[in-house]
Amino acid sequence: MRASVGGRVQVHGKGAGNPDQVGEIIEVRGADGEPPYLLRFPDGRESLVFPGPDSVILPPAP
């Protein structure tokens, strides 16, 4: 999985009532675009994420 700053990571919810979460990549800490990624979510919180099989990389928001 490779990404760049400005891209987004979508983490799929794990069951009914758990919506998908999408965060903007504000920092790539791995080599050559590899994880971990520092994400900023719409509510302002930031989190260091190692995306798993329930995640996809999305292009930057329009």
Side-chain angles (χ1 to χ4, degrees):
M1 182 173 286
R2 291 198 171 143
S4 59
V5 172
R8 298 172 294 147
V9 176
Q10 179 178 15
V11 180
H12 298 292
K14 295 182 180 175
N18 292 323
D20 291 359
Q21 296 186 43
V22 178
E24 179 185 0
I25 300 169
I26 58 173
E27 186 177 337
V28 176
R29 295 196 178 172
D32 298 320
E34 296 291 326
Y37 307 124
L38 184 61
L39 303 183
R40 180 176 297 131
F41 293 92
D43 63 3
R45 67 188 163 91
E46 296 179 359
S47 182
L48 188 63
V49 175
F50 291 82
D54 59 342
S55 302
V56 293
I57 302 294
L58 303 172

Short mmCIF file of all heavy atoms in Angstrom, two decimals:
data_model
loop_
_atom_site.label_atom_id
_atom_site.label_comp_id
_atom_site.label_asym_id
_atom_site.label_seq_id
_atom_site.Cartn_x
_atom_site.Cartn_y
_atom_site.Cartn_z
N MET A 1 0.86 -1.17 0.00
CA MET A 1 0.00 0.00 0.00
C MET A 1 0.90 1.22 0.00
O MET A 1 1.79 1.34 0.83
CB MET A 1 -0.87 -0.04 1.26
CG MET A 1 -1.85 1.08 1.36
SD MET A 1 -3.00 0.91 2.74
CE MET A 1 -4.07 -0.37 2.14
N ARG A 2 0.66 2.12 -0.95
CA ARG A 2 1.44 3.35 -1.05
C ARG A 2 0.50 4.53 -1.17
O ARG A 2 -0.53 4.45 -1.84
CB ARG A 2 2.36 3.31 -2.26
CG ARG A 2 3.46 2.31 -2.08
CD ARG A 2 4.58 2.56 -3.03
NE ARG A 2 5.67 1.69 -2.64
CZ ARG A 2 6.47 1.10 -3.47
NH1 ARG A 2 6.31 1.28 -4.76
NH2 ARG A 2 7.44 0.34 -3.04
N ALA A 3 0.89 5.62 -0.54
CA ALA A 3 0.06 6.82 -0.55
C ALA A 3 0.97 8.04 -0.45
O ALA A 3 2.17 7.92 -0.22
CB ALA A 3 -0.93 6.79 0.59
N SER A 4 0.36 9.22 -0.58
CA SER A 4 1.10 10.47 -0.44
C SER A 4 0.26 11.47 0.34
O SER A 4 -0.95 11.32 0.48
CB SER A 4 1.48 11.02 -1.82
OG SER A 4 0.33 11.26 -2.59
N VAL A 5 0.94 12.49 0.82
CA VAL A 5 0.25 13.55 1.56
C VAL A 5 -0.83 14.15 0.68
O VAL A 5 -0.63 14.38 -0.51
CB VAL A 5 1.26 14.63 2.01
CG1 VAL A 5 0.54 15.82 2.62
CG2 VAL A 5 2.25 14.05 3.01
N GLY A 6 -2.01 14.36 1.26
CA GLY A 6 -3.15 14.90 0.54
C GLY A 6 -4.13 13.82 0.11
O GLY A 6 -5.29 14.10 -0.13
N GLY A 7 -3.65 12.57 0.02
CA GLY A 7 -4.54 11.46 -0.28
C GLY A 7 -5.41 11.19 0.94
O GLY A 7 -5.31 11.85 1.97
N ARG A 8 -6.28 10.22 0.81
CA ARG A 8 -7.17 9.87 1.91
C ARG A 8 -7.16 8.37 2.13
O ARG A 8 -6.90 7.61 1.21
CB ARG A 8 -8.59 10.34 1.60
CG ARG A 8 -8.71 11.84 1.42
CD ARG A 8 -10.07 12.28 0.94
NE ARG A 8 -10.28 11.76 -0.41
CZ ARG A 8 -11.46 11.39 -0.88
NH1 ARG A 8 -12.55 11.49 -0.14
NH2 ARG A 8 -11.59 10.92 -2.11
N VAL A 9 -7.46 7.97 3.35
CA VAL A 9 -7.60 6.56 3.69
C VAL A 9 -9.03 6.36 4.17
O VAL A 9 -9.51 7.07 5.05
CB VAL A 9 -6.61 6.13 4.80
CG1 VAL A 9 -6.86 4.69 5.20
CG2 VAL A 9 -5.17 6.31 4.34
N GLN A 10 -9.72 5.39 3.56
CA GLN A 10 -11.07 5.02 3.98
C GLN A 10 -10.98 3.70 4.73
O GLN A 10 -10.50 2.71 4.19
CB GLN A 10 -12.00 4.89 2.78
CG GLN A 10 -13.40 4.48 3.16
CD GLN A 10 -14.32 4.39 1.95
OE1 GLN A 10 -13.87 4.35 0.81
NE2 GLN A 10 -15.60 4.35 2.21
N VAL A 11 -11.44 3.72 5.98
CA VAL A 11 -11.47 2.51 6.80
C VAL A 11 -12.93 2.09 6.88
O VAL A 11 -13.78 2.84 7.36
CB VAL A 11 -10.91 2.77 8.21
CG1 VAL A 11 -10.95 1.51 9.04
CG2 VAL A 11 -9.49 3.33 8.13
N HIS A 12 -13.23 0.89 6.39
CA HIS A 12 -14.60 0.40 6.37
C HIS A 12 -15.06 0.04 7.78
O HIS A 12 -14.30 -0.54 8.57
CB HIS A 12 -14.72 -0.82 5.46
CG HIS A 12 -14.38 -0.51 4.04
ND1 HIS A 12 -15.17 0.31 3.24
CD2 HIS A 12 -13.34 -0.87 3.26
CE1 HIS A 12 -14.62 0.41 2.05
NE2 HIS A 12 -13.51 -0.29 2.03
N GLY A 13 -16.31 0.41 8.10
CA GLY A 13 -16.91 0.07 9.38
C GLY A 13 -17.01 -1.44 9.54
O GLY A 13 -17.15 -2.17 8.57
N LYS A 14 -16.94 -1.90 10.77
CA LYS A 14 -16.92 -3.34 11.02
C LYS A 14 -18.25 -3.85 11.55
O LYS A 14 -18.29 -4.56 12.54
CB LYS A 14 -15.81 -3.67 12.01
CG LYS A 14 -14.44 -3.39 11.46
CD LYS A 14 -13.36 -3.75 12.43
CE LYS A 14 -12.01 -3.43 11.81
NZ LYS A 14 -10.92 -3.64 12.71
N GLY A 15 -19.32 -3.49 10.92
CA GLY A 15 -20.62 -3.99 11.34
C GLY A 15 -21.69 -2.93 11.26
O GLY A 15 -21.42 -1.75 11.01
N ALA A 16 -22.90 -3.36 11.50
CA ALA A 16 -24.03 -2.45 11.46
C ALA A 16 -23.85 -1.34 12.50
O ALA A 16 -23.46 -1.60 13.63
CB ALA A 16 -25.32 -3.20 11.72
N GLY A 17 -24.11 -0.13 12.10
CA GLY A 17 -24.01 1.00 13.02
C GLY A 17 -22.62 1.59 13.12
O GLY A 17 -22.42 2.57 13.82
N ASN A 18 -21.64 1.00 12.44
CA ASN A 18 -20.28 1.53 12.42
C ASN A 18 -19.97 2.02 11.02
O ASN A 18 -19.58 1.24 10.15
CB ASN A 18 -19.27 0.45 12.82
CG ASN A 18 -19.39 0.04 14.26
OD1 ASN A 18 -19.67 0.87 15.12
ND2 ASN A 18 -19.21 -1.23 14.53
N PRO A 19 -20.14 3.32 10.78
CA PRO A 19 -19.92 3.85 9.43
C PRO A 19 -18.44 3.84 9.04
O PRO A 19 -17.56 3.78 9.91
CB PRO A 19 -20.45 5.28 9.52
CG PRO A 19 -20.29 5.64 10.95
CD PRO A 19 -20.51 4.36 11.73
N ASP A 20 -18.19 3.91 7.75
CA ASP A 20 -16.82 4.06 7.26
C ASP A 20 -16.26 5.38 7.78
O ASP A 20 -16.99 6.33 8.01
CB ASP A 20 -16.80 4.09 5.74
CG ASP A 20 -17.14 2.76 5.11
OD1 ASP A 20 -17.39 1.78 5.85
OD2 ASP A 20 -17.15 2.69 3.87
N GLN A 21 -14.95 5.41 7.95
CA GLN A 21 -14.27 6.65 8.35
C GLN A 21 -13.25 6.99 7.27
O GLN A 21 -12.57 6.11 6.74
CB GLN A 21 -13.55 6.46 9.67
CG GLN A 21 -14.47 6.19 10.84
CD GLN A 21 -13.70 6.16 12.13
OE1 GLN A 21 -12.83 6.98 12.39
NE2 GLN A 21 -14.02 5.19 12.96
N VAL A 22 -13.16 8.27 6.93
CA VAL A 22 -12.21 8.73 5.93
C VAL A 22 -11.36 9.83 6.55
O VAL A 22 -11.88 10.79 7.12
CB VAL A 22 -12.93 9.26 4.67
CG1 VAL A 22 -11.90 9.78 3.66
CG2 VAL A 22 -13.78 8.18 4.04
N GLY A 23 -10.05 9.65 6.47
CA GLY A 23 -9.13 10.64 6.99
C GLY A 23 -8.16 11.09 5.92
O GLY A 23 -7.78 10.31 5.04
N GLU A 24 -7.76 12.35 5.98
CA GLU A 24 -6.78 12.90 5.04
C GLU A 24 -5.38 12.60 5.54
O GLU A 24 -5.08 12.76 6.73
CB GLU A 24 -6.96 14.41 4.92
CG GLU A 24 -5.95 15.04 3.98
CD GLU A 24 -6.03 16.55 3.93
OE1 GLU A 24 -6.88 17.13 4.63
OE2 GLU A 24 -5.23 17.14 3.20
N ILE A 25 -4.51 12.17 4.63
CA ILE A 25 -3.12 11.89 4.99
C ILE A 25 -2.39 13.21 5.12
O ILE A 25 -2.29 13.97 4.15
CB ILE A 25 -2.46 10.99 3.94
CG1 ILE A 25 -3.21 9.67 3.81
CG2 ILE A 25 -0.99 10.76 4.29
CD1 ILE A 25 -2.80 8.82 2.63
N ILE A 26 -1.89 13.48 6.32
CA ILE A 26 -1.14 14.73 6.52
C ILE A 26 0.36 14.46 6.69
O ILE A 26 1.15 15.39 6.64
CB ILE A 26 -1.69 15.54 7.72
CG1 ILE A 26 -1.67 14.74 9.01
CG2 ILE A 26 -3.10 16.03 7.40
CD1 ILE A 26 -2.06 15.57 10.24
N GLU A 27 0.72 13.18 6.86
CA GLU A 27 2.13 12.83 6.94
C GLU A 27 2.29 11.35 6.62
O GLU A 27 1.50 10.52 7.07
CB GLU A 27 2.66 13.11 8.35
CG GLU A 27 4.14 12.90 8.51
CD GLU A 27 4.62 13.26 9.91
OE1 GLU A 27 3.95 14.04 10.61
OE2 GLU A 27 5.67 12.73 10.28
N VAL A 28 3.30 11.04 5.81
CA VAL A 28 3.66 9.65 5.50
C VAL A 28 4.95 9.36 6.25
O VAL A 28 5.96 10.02 6.02
CB VAL A 28 3.85 9.45 3.98
CG1 VAL A 28 4.31 8.03 3.69
CG2 VAL A 28 2.57 9.76 3.23
N ARG A 29 4.92 8.40 7.15
CA ARG A 29 6.10 8.12 7.98
C ARG A 29 6.92 6.93 7.51
O ARG A 29 8.02 6.72 7.98
CB ARG A 29 5.67 7.93 9.42
CG ARG A 29 5.10 9.21 10.00
CD ARG A 29 5.04 9.18 11.47
NE ARG A 29 4.53 10.45 11.99
CZ ARG A 29 4.23 10.65 13.25
NH1 ARG A 29 4.36 9.66 14.12
NH2 ARG A 29 3.78 11.81 13.64
N GLY A 30 6.39 6.15 6.58
CA GLY A 30 7.13 5.02 6.03
C GLY A 30 7.93 5.45 4.81
O GLY A 30 7.73 6.52 4.24
N ALA A 31 8.84 4.59 4.38
CA ALA A 31 9.66 4.86 3.20
C ALA A 31 8.85 4.65 1.93
O ALA A 31 8.00 3.75 1.85
CB ALA A 31 10.87 3.93 3.20
N ASP A 32 9.07 5.49 0.94
CA ASP A 32 8.45 5.36 -0.38
C ASP A 32 6.93 5.27 -0.35
O ASP A 32 6.32 4.49 -1.08
CB ASP A 32 9.01 4.14 -1.12
CG ASP A 32 10.51 4.26 -1.38
OD1 ASP A 32 10.95 5.37 -1.71
OD2 ASP A 32 11.22 3.25 -1.23
N GLY A 33 6.29 6.04 0.51
CA GLY A 33 4.83 6.09 0.55
C GLY A 33 4.18 4.96 1.33
O GLY A 33 2.96 4.82 1.32
N GLU A 34 4.97 4.18 2.03
CA GLU A 34 4.44 3.06 2.81
C GLU A 34 3.95 3.56 4.17
O GLU A 34 4.35 4.61 4.65
CB GLU A 34 5.53 2.00 3.01
CG GLU A 34 5.99 1.35 1.72
CD GLU A 34 4.95 0.45 1.10
OE1 GLU A 34 4.18 -0.19 1.85
OE2 GLU A 34 4.89 0.39 -0.14
N PRO A 35 3.04 2.78 4.83
CA PRO A 35 2.56 3.14 6.16
C PRO A 35 3.70 3.13 7.17
O PRO A 35 4.73 2.51 6.91
CB PRO A 35 1.55 2.04 6.48
CG PRO A 35 1.26 1.34 5.20
CD PRO A 35 2.43 1.58 4.31
N PRO A 36 3.47 3.76 8.31
CA PRO A 36 2.23 4.33 8.82
C PRO A 36 1.95 5.72 8.26
O PRO A 36 2.85 6.41 7.78
CB PRO A 36 2.45 4.39 10.33
CG PRO A 36 3.92 4.61 10.47
CD PRO A 36 4.54 3.83 9.32
N TYR A 37 0.67 6.11 8.36
CA TYR A 37 0.21 7.42 7.91
C TYR A 37 -0.41 8.17 9.08
O TYR A 37 -1.13 7.59 9.88
CB TYR A 37 -0.86 7.28 6.82
CG TYR A 37 -0.45 6.41 5.67
CD1 TYR A 37 -1.22 5.31 5.30
CD2 TYR A 37 0.70 6.67 4.94
CE1 TYR A 37 -0.85 4.50 4.24
CE2 TYR A 37 1.08 5.87 3.88
CZ TYR A 37 0.31 4.79 3.54
OH TYR A 37 0.68 3.99 2.49
N LEU A 38 -0.11 9.45 9.16
CA LEU A 38 -0.78 10.31 10.13
C LEU A 38 -2.00 10.89 9.42
O LEU A 38 -1.87 11.55 8.38
CB LEU A 38 0.14 11.42 10.62
CG LEU A 38 -0.43 12.32 11.71
CD1 LEU A 38 -0.77 11.51 12.97
CD2 LEU A 38 0.54 13.44 12.04
N LEU A 39 -3.19 10.59 9.95
CA LEU A 39 -4.44 11.03 9.33
C LEU A 39 -5.11 12.10 10.17
O LEU A 39 -5.03 12.08 11.39
CB LEU A 39 -5.42 9.86 9.21
CG LEU A 39 -4.99 8.63 8.44
CD1 LEU A 39 -6.13 7.63 8.38
CD2 LEU A 39 -4.51 8.98 7.05
N ARG A 40 -5.80 13.02 9.48
CA ARG A 40 -6.67 14.00 10.15
C ARG A 40 -8.09 13.72 9.68
O ARG A 40 -8.36 13.69 8.48
CB ARG A 40 -6.28 15.42 9.81
CG ARG A 40 -7.20 16.44 10.52
CD ARG A 40 -6.78 17.88 10.28
NE ARG A 40 -5.45 18.12 10.85
CZ ARG A 40 -4.45 18.70 10.18
NH1 ARG A 40 -4.61 19.10 8.94
NH2 ARG A 40 -3.28 18.89 10.76
N PHE A 41 -8.97 13.52 10.65
CA PHE A 41 -10.36 13.22 10.36
C PHE A 41 -11.19 14.50 10.37
O PHE A 41 -10.76 15.52 10.92
CB PHE A 41 -10.89 12.20 11.38
CG PHE A 41 -10.23 10.85 11.22
CD1 PHE A 41 -9.09 10.53 11.94
CD2 PHE A 41 -10.73 9.92 10.33
CE1 PHE A 41 -8.46 9.30 11.78
CE2 PHE A 41 -10.13 8.69 10.16
CZ PHE A 41 -8.99 8.38 10.88
N PRO A 42 -12.38 14.48 9.75
CA PRO A 42 -13.20 15.69 9.66
C PRO A 42 -13.50 16.36 10.99
O PRO A 42 -13.70 17.57 11.04
CB PRO A 42 -14.49 15.20 8.99
CG PRO A 42 -14.07 14.02 8.19
CD PRO A 42 -12.98 13.36 9.02
N ASP A 43 -13.52 15.60 12.09
CA ASP A 43 -13.80 16.20 13.40
C ASP A 43 -12.57 16.84 14.03
O ASP A 43 -12.63 17.35 15.13
CB ASP A 43 -14.43 15.17 14.34
CG ASP A 43 -13.51 14.00 14.66
OD1 ASP A 43 -12.33 13.99 14.20
OD2 ASP A 43 -13.95 13.08 15.38
N GLY A 44 -11.42 16.80 13.31
CA GLY A 44 -10.21 17.46 13.78
C GLY A 44 -9.23 16.55 14.50
O GLY A 44 -8.08 16.92 14.71
N ARG A 45 -9.65 15.35 14.88
CA ARG A 45 -8.72 14.48 15.58
C ARG A 45 -7.70 13.92 14.60
O ARG A 45 -7.95 13.81 13.40
CB ARG A 45 -9.45 13.35 16.31
CG ARG A 45 -10.11 12.35 15.44
CD ARG A 45 -10.97 11.38 16.24
NE ARG A 45 -11.88 10.70 15.35
CZ ARG A 45 -11.61 9.56 14.74
NH1 ARG A 45 -10.47 8.94 14.97
NH2 ARG A 45 -12.48 9.02 13.91
N GLU A 46 -6.52 13.58 15.11
CA GLU A 46 -5.46 13.01 14.31
C GLU A 46 -5.08 11.66 14.89
O GLU A 46 -5.15 11.46 16.09
CB GLU A 46 -4.25 13.94 14.28
CG GLU A 46 -4.53 15.27 13.61
CD GLU A 46 -3.35 16.21 13.60
OE1 GLU A 46 -2.27 15.85 14.14
OE2 GLU A 46 -3.49 17.31 13.05
N SER A 47 -4.68 10.74 14.00
CA SER A 47 -4.35 9.41 14.44
C SER A 47 -3.29 8.80 13.53
O SER A 47 -3.33 9.00 12.31
CB SER A 47 -5.61 8.53 14.42
OG SER A 47 -5.32 7.24 14.89
N LEU A 48 -2.35 8.07 14.12
CA LEU A 48 -1.35 7.33 13.36
C LEU A 48 -1.98 5.99 12.99
O LEU A 48 -2.44 5.25 13.85
CB LEU A 48 -0.09 7.13 14.20
CG LEU A 48 1.10 6.53 13.47
CD1 LEU A 48 1.57 7.45 12.35
CD2 LEU A 48 2.23 6.28 14.45
N VAL A 49 -1.99 5.68 11.68
CA VAL A 49 -2.72 4.51 11.19
C VAL A 49 -1.80 3.61 10.37
O VAL A 49 -1.04 4.08 9.53
CB VAL A 49 -3.91 4.97 10.32
CG1 VAL A 49 -4.62 3.80 9.68
CG2 VAL A 49 -4.88 5.80 11.14
N PHE A 50 -1.90 2.32 10.64
CA PHE A 50 -1.30 1.28 9.82
C PHE A 50 -2.48 0.58 9.14
O PHE A 50 -3.10 -0.30 9.72
CB PHE A 50 -0.55 0.26 10.69
CG PHE A 50 0.69 0.79 11.33
CD1 PHE A 50 0.63 1.52 12.50
CD2 PHE A 50 1.93 0.54 10.76
CE1 PHE A 50 1.78 1.99 13.11
CE2 PHE A 50 3.09 1.02 11.37
CZ PHE A 50 3.01 1.74 12.53
N PRO A 51 -2.87 1.00 7.91
CA PRO A 51 -4.07 0.47 7.27
C PRO A 51 -4.01 -1.05 7.11
O PRO A 51 -2.97 -1.61 6.78
CB PRO A 51 -4.09 1.15 5.91
CG PRO A 51 -3.24 2.35 6.07
CD PRO A 51 -2.19 1.98 7.06
N GLY A 52 -5.15 -1.68 7.35
CA GLY A 52 -5.27 -3.12 7.20
C GLY A 52 -6.09 -3.46 5.97
O GLY A 52 -6.37 -2.61 5.13
N PRO A 53 -6.51 -4.72 5.86
CA PRO A 53 -7.28 -5.16 4.69
C PRO A 53 -8.66 -4.52 4.58
O PRO A 53 -9.29 -4.62 3.53
CB PRO A 53 -7.37 -6.67 4.89
CG PRO A 53 -7.15 -6.90 6.33
CD PRO A 53 -6.26 -5.80 6.80
N ASP A 54 -9.10 -3.86 5.65
CA ASP A 54 -10.41 -3.20 5.63
C ASP A 54 -10.29 -1.72 5.21
O ASP A 54 -11.21 -0.96 5.38
CB ASP A 54 -11.08 -3.29 6.99
CG ASP A 54 -10.25 -2.65 8.10
OD1 ASP A 54 -9.03 -2.45 7.91
OD2 ASP A 54 -10.80 -2.37 9.17
N SER A 55 -9.12 -1.35 4.66
CA SER A 55 -8.85 0.05 4.29
C SER A 55 -8.49 0.15 2.82
O SER A 55 -7.93 -0.78 2.23
CB SER A 55 -7.68 0.58 5.11
OG SER A 55 -7.94 0.48 6.48
N VAL A 56 -8.80 1.32 2.24
CA VAL A 56 -8.41 1.62 0.87
C VAL A 56 -7.84 3.03 0.80
O VAL A 56 -8.22 3.90 1.58
CB VAL A 56 -9.59 1.48 -0.13
CG1 VAL A 56 -10.04 0.06 -0.25
CG2 VAL A 56 -10.74 2.36 0.26
N ILE A 57 -6.92 3.23 -0.13
CA ILE A 57 -6.35 4.55 -0.38
C ILE A 57 -7.19 5.23 -1.44
O ILE A 57 -7.50 4.64 -2.49
CB ILE A 57 -4.90 4.44 -0.86
CG1 ILE A 57 -4.03 3.70 0.16
CG2 ILE A 57 -4.32 5.81 -1.19
CD1 ILE A 57 -3.86 4.42 1.47
N LEU A 58 -7.57 6.48 -1.19
CA LEU A 58 -8.36 7.27 -2.13
C LEU A 58 -7.54 8.48 -2.58
O LEU A 58 -6.68 8.95 -1.84
CB LEU A 58 -9.65 7.77 -1.45
CG LEU A 58 -10.57 6.70 -0.86
CD1 LEU A 58 -11.68 7.36 -0.05
CD2 LEU A 58 -11.14 5.84 -1.97
N PRO A 59 -7.84 9.01 -3.77
CA PRO A 59 -7.15 10.23 -4.20
C PRO A 59 -7.56 11.42 -3.33
O PRO A 59 -8.54 11.34 -2.59
CB PRO A 59 -7.61 10.40 -5.65
CG PRO A 59 -8.90 9.67 -5.73
CD PRO A 59 -8.82 8.56 -4.73
N PRO A 60 -6.82 12.52 -3.44
CA PRO A 60 -7.20 13.72 -2.69
C PRO A 60 -8.64 14.14 -3.00
O PRO A 60 -9.14 13.92 -4.11
CB PRO A 60 -6.21 14.78 -3.18
CG PRO A 60 -5.04 14.00 -3.66
CD PRO A 60 -5.62 12.72 -4.23
N ALA A 61 -9.28 14.76 -2.02
CA ALA A 61 -10.66 15.25 -2.20
C ALA A 61 -10.64 16.38 -3.23
O ALA A 61 -9.70 17.16 -3.28
CB ALA A 61 -11.22 15.74 -0.89
N PRO A 62 -11.70 16.47 -4.03
CA PRO A 62 -11.76 17.55 -5.05
C PRO A 62 -11.89 18.92 -4.41
O PRO A 62 -12.30 19.09 -3.31
CB PRO A 62 -13.00 17.20 -5.86
CG PRO A 62 -13.77 16.22 -5.07
CD PRO A 62 -12.85 15.63 -4.06
#
